[in-house]
Amino acid sequence: MTRSIGVIALNVFRESVRDKVLYNLVFFAIVLMGASYLIGQITAGQDVKLIKDLGLAATSIFGLFIAVFIGIGLVSKEVEKRSIYSLLAKPIERHHLVIGKYLGLVLTLAVNLAVMAAALYVVLAYMAWMAQPGVAAGWERPALDPAMLKAFLMTFCELAIVTAIAVFFSTFSTPILSAAFTFALFVAGRFSADLRNFNQVIESPLANGLTTALYWVLPNLSPFDVRAQVVHGQPVTASYMALSAGYAVLYIAALVAAAIAVFSRRDFK
Amino acid sequence: MPSRFRTFGLIVLVAVLMGGAASLQAVRETRFPPPQATEDALYFTSGKTVQRLAAGYSAIAADLYWVRAIQYYGGVKLRLQQTPPAASQALAKWHRWMCEVSRAAAGAPSRRSAA
């Protein structure tokens, strides 16, 4: 079981490399290098802070596009190309396919994030090396702040949830609809805190119950955004990260189980 | 064809996992409450900037802002209603005293001296 899942995951990674997905890393590096030069000209000693903000935001946006646009086609593409028949004829179960596809895309995202993190640290190291001692003393946090890894880790957890959403929709919907649903859930997840506060301004018990239920069922993605805290040197504790990561693991497991339930009942005749 | 029992088991598993995720979320929110907005400002100072930010969807952006403003107003009203009478009386007393001080500082006759 583990072997077949591993083989499928590795194939998804290879396929994404063949599809030139990793080219986005080149674009990311160019954006960072260009921005570091331009921002250095127009900011008053805050260029390192801006580069950190830009790098972390770009990591999240690039990762989001990879998670959505590859995730939505993972299962549906196999059905459209009819390659699902040859796949299912092999000694693999349907749930192996779903789990393997999901883990393959998560591996792709992990490699992407690791390279983007390394690129960001290289640019920041160059800026720290070039900076005047007086300017560097005014920085809120050091340029090569290891705390930024916490933001990368939380971004990875968030993107892993988005990938699970995309794979779930991919098991029963078309790629275009899956992309729309995934983006909609991503936006809802980012603003779900508003649903929680909704009961403070409405009196209808039905609407209150509905918004509260939605708040607990929809993915809560805003706690994974610790970028501002990290850049400003505010504490992000290990217990906060552990609770957030635990939430991500359980939510992903629920989505993958739901995807397996749907995919297992599909008739490909 | 997978058995119905297996599908039912998967549905139960999904429900249990979602429940677990919600419980963890509740624990996290208890231990690390979400930050509240410290600045009580809900207005834009530049209409032109807002129009650019709306990217051509100015009508729906205006509607969203209107709904948000109503929620803000309702939230403030509810909060004030929940304020204990003693506290609101103390606030009113403090407010009157501040008005007296500012009038005196400006050299204007106070209400008490005018009376």
Side-chain angles (χ1 to χ4, degrees):
Chain A
M1 178 191 167
T2 319
R3 193 175 169 277
S4 57
I5 290 174
V7 169
I8 294 167
L10 211 58
N11 267 304
V12 171
F13 178 71
R14 280 189 195 132
E15 204 178 332
S16 62
V17 173
R18 259 185 252 125
D19 285 347
K20 317 282 189 290
V21 169
L22 300 183
Y23 274 19
N24 80 89
L25 295 172
V26 179
F27 185 63
F28 177 80
I30 291 169
V31 166
L32 268 190
M33 284 187 287
S36 62
Y37 175 73
L38 285 174
I39 286 170
Q41 313 289 318
I42 56 171
T43 54
Q46 289 298 312
D47 44 357
V48 162
K49 192 252 174 198
L50 285 174
I51 285 294
K52 283 181 183 176
D53 285 336
L54 181 73
L56 292 172
T59 305
S60 173
I61 294 167
F62 283 23
L64 175 71
F65 280 112
I66 292 172
V68 173
F69 288 113
I70 298 180
I72 55 168
L74 277 182
V75 180
S76 58
K77 209 163 71 177
E78 302 285 356
V79 180
E80 272 177 23
K81 286 182 177 174
R82 312 269 183 219
S83 51
I84 192 82
Y85 298 113
S86 53
L87 266 174
L88 293 179
K90 291 182 169 37
I92 53 168
E93 298 281 340
R94 289 191 183 193
H95 64 269
H96 293 177
L97 194 70
V98 175
I99 297 170
K101 292 270 183 189
Y102 172 73
L103 291 179
L105 186 47
V106 167
L107 177 67
T108 309
L109 279 171
V111 170
N112 259 281
L113 283 187
V115 176
M116 283 195 237
L120 182 57
Y121 273 108
V122 167
V123 170
L124 287 170
Y126 173 75
M127 291 178 81
W129 182 54
M130 293 294 286
Q132 304 290 329
V135 175
W139 289 341
E140 210 169 359
R141 296 287 298 168
L144 298 174
D145 188 4
M148 278 197 304
L149 292 175
K150 293 177 181 176
F152 278 108
L153 195 64
M154 288 288 98
T155 303
F156 176 69
C157 290
E158 183 187 23
L159 293 175
I161 294 179
V162 176
T163 307
I165 295 169
V167 170
F168 169 67
F169 285 122
S170 173
T171 54
F172 63 89
S173 188
T174 60
I176 292 174
L177 279 178
S178 300
F181 293 150
T182 310
F183 271 120
L185 272 184
F186 173 76
V187 173
R190 276 288 176 94
F191 294 101
S192 65
D194 285 346
L195 283 173
R196 185 185 170 86
N197 301 330
F198 218 61
N199 58 359
Q200 293 174 5
V201 287
I202 51 174
E203 288 179 356
S204 162
L206 180 69
N208 271 339
L210 193 69
T211 51
T212 308
L214 272 176
Y215 174 70
W216 292 110
V217 171
L218 286 175
N220 191 356
L221 301 177
S222 53
F224 295 101
D225 181 10
V226 294
R227 288 181 280 275
Q229 289 98 308
V230 163
V231 170
H232 287 288
Q234 290 167 358
V236 181
T237 61
S239 54
Y240 177 86
M241 290 181 65
L243 282 169
S244 301
Y247 169 80
V249 167
L250 286 174
Y251 204 90
I252 289 164
L255 282 170
V256 173
I260 290 169
V262 172
F263 192 62
S264 301
R265 292 193 68 80
R266 274 196 71 174
D267 190 0
F268 295 111
K269 281 177 191 171
Chain B
M1 196 73 181
S3 67
R4 283 184 182 177
F5 181 74
R6 192 185 163 192
T7 309
F8 179 72
L10 276 172
I11 291 167
V12 171
L13 179 67
V14 170
V16 169
L17 288 168
M18 288 294 273
S23 308
L24 263 187
Q25 189 181 337
V27 171
R28 183 183 57 201
E29 284 176 6
T30 312
R31 289 184 62 180
F32 306 96
Q36 301 293 320
T38 48
E39 197 179 342
D40 208 13
L42 192 77
Y43 53 82
F44 295 109
T45 51
S46 168
K48 282 182 183 171
T49 308
V50 175
Q51 203 169 18
R52 284 192 199 102
L53 286 173
Y57 298 97
S58 49
I60 190 71
D63 290 346
L64 285 173
Y65 182 59
W66 170 242
V67 170
R68 189 81 185 166
I70 289 173
Q71 287 180 17
Y72 172 78
Y73 174 75
V76 171
K77 194 168 177 241
L78 279 175
R79 239 188 357 259
L80 289 176
Q81 279 171 354
Q82 287 162 0
T83 311
S88 54
Q89 278 170 12
L91 271 174
K93 195 175 169 186
W94 178 79
H95 180 250
R96 279 199 300 274
W97 180 75
M98 282 298 288
C99 289
E100 288 287 331
V101 169
S102 60
R103 275 197 202 95
S110 72
R111 281 184 187 172
R112 279 181 199 162
S113 60

